[in-house]
Amino acid sequence: VNVTIVEAGSDQLGIAQSLLERFFREEGFGTPPEVLRSNLDAFAADPTCGVLLAWTDGVAVGAATVSTTRSTEDGQIAEIQDLYVLPEHRGSGVARLLVEEATAWALEQGCRSVEVVVTPEAEAAHRLSAFYARLGFDATGRTIHARRLSRS
Ligand SMILES: CC(C)(COP(=O)(O)OP(=O)(O)OC[C@H]1O[C@@H](n2cnc3c(N)ncnc32)[C@H](O)[C@@H]1OP(=O)(O)O)[C@@H](O)C(=O)NCCC(=O)NCCS
């Protein structure tokens, strides 16, 4: 299959939005579509973040988002935030290409590593640790501890 990965321009954010909406719905993420849209707009407007689309025969079949952050340990690091391939286009290397392009983008940004968070739900549903291991991502054993913030 002929797949091209392109960074989404502002006119293609609607396409990325519909792929990510579907991703969130299928995976049970609670983010409402309008919140996803404004987060995605802010993401695309930020040069330290990237939105990638995978195209085949003029159809967007997958999307990935990647952000960068600073770390005192590692300098600049990247994180793949979202990765989704339409079910009927899975198993032909689209996600691998999206991750390779996200990694190339991260290298250009001066990043020393690229990370991804695997939720227990996604692990149970898709065995994502096996998938990411095939793409060269090692489990670190670190856990994420988050505290929700609100301005009251
Ligand atoms: C996970 C997902 C992105 C994979 O997309 P895909 O285009 O089918 O993946 P690829 O065809 O590029 O596969 C890349 C490699 O991983 C392997 N692989 C694919 N899915 C796998 C899985 N669930 N478990 C283990 N290995 C897997 C492939 O065999 C292939 O191996 P190889 O290239 O070494 O032969 C896709 O199934 C998806 O969108 N799932 C739902 C959303 C999701 O879980 N996203 C990740 C959240 S961060």
Side-chain angles (χ1 to χ4, degrees):
V1 215
N2 194 6
V3 182
T4 315
I5 312 294
V6 189
E7 194 162 354
S10 51
D11 54 331
Q12 291 169 335
L13 287 183
I15 297 168
Q17 155 104 9
S18 40
L19 285 164
L20 294 183
E21 257 181 46
R22 194 165 160 182
F23 172 46
F24 282 23
R25 202 173 338 111
E26 288 173 11
E27 301 303 317
F29 298 171
T31 311
E34 62 281 9
V35 176
L36 168 61
R37 180 67 208 219
S38 75
N39 288 343
L40 193 58
D41 285 345
F43 207 93
D46 185 337
T48 71
C49 296
V51 180
L52 303 174
L53 287 172
W55 293 89
T56 179
D57 293 331
V59 179
V61 299
T65 64
V66 55
S67 61
T68 66
T69 187
R70 283 187 193 287
S71 144
T72 53
E73 234 178 320
D74 275 331
Q76 198 79 0
I77 56 176
E79 180 176 343
I80 293 178
Q81 297 282 344
D82 304 288
L83 177 65
Y84 181 74
V85 175
L86 287 173
E88 59 275 28
H89 292 275
R90 290 179 191 165
S92 49
V94 175
R96 182 182 278 281
L97 285 172
L98 279 164
V99 169
E100 290 313 322
E101 197 60 34
T103 303
W105 179 90
L107 260 176
E108 269 172 41
Q109 304 284 314
C111 294
R112 308 242 344 251
S113 66
V114 55
E115 301 182 345
V116 66
V117 172
V118 173
T119 65
E121 295 80 9
E123 179 62 19
H126 309 295
R127 298 202 46 245
L128 281 188
S129 55
F131 164 71
Y132 281 114
R134 289 197 80 80
L135 299 187
F137 289 70
D138 299 318
T140 63
R142 295 185 181 202
T143 59
I144 296 175
H145 301 247
R147 178 174 168 180
R148 281 270 166 207
L149 301 180
S150 60
R151 292 171 196 269
S152 47

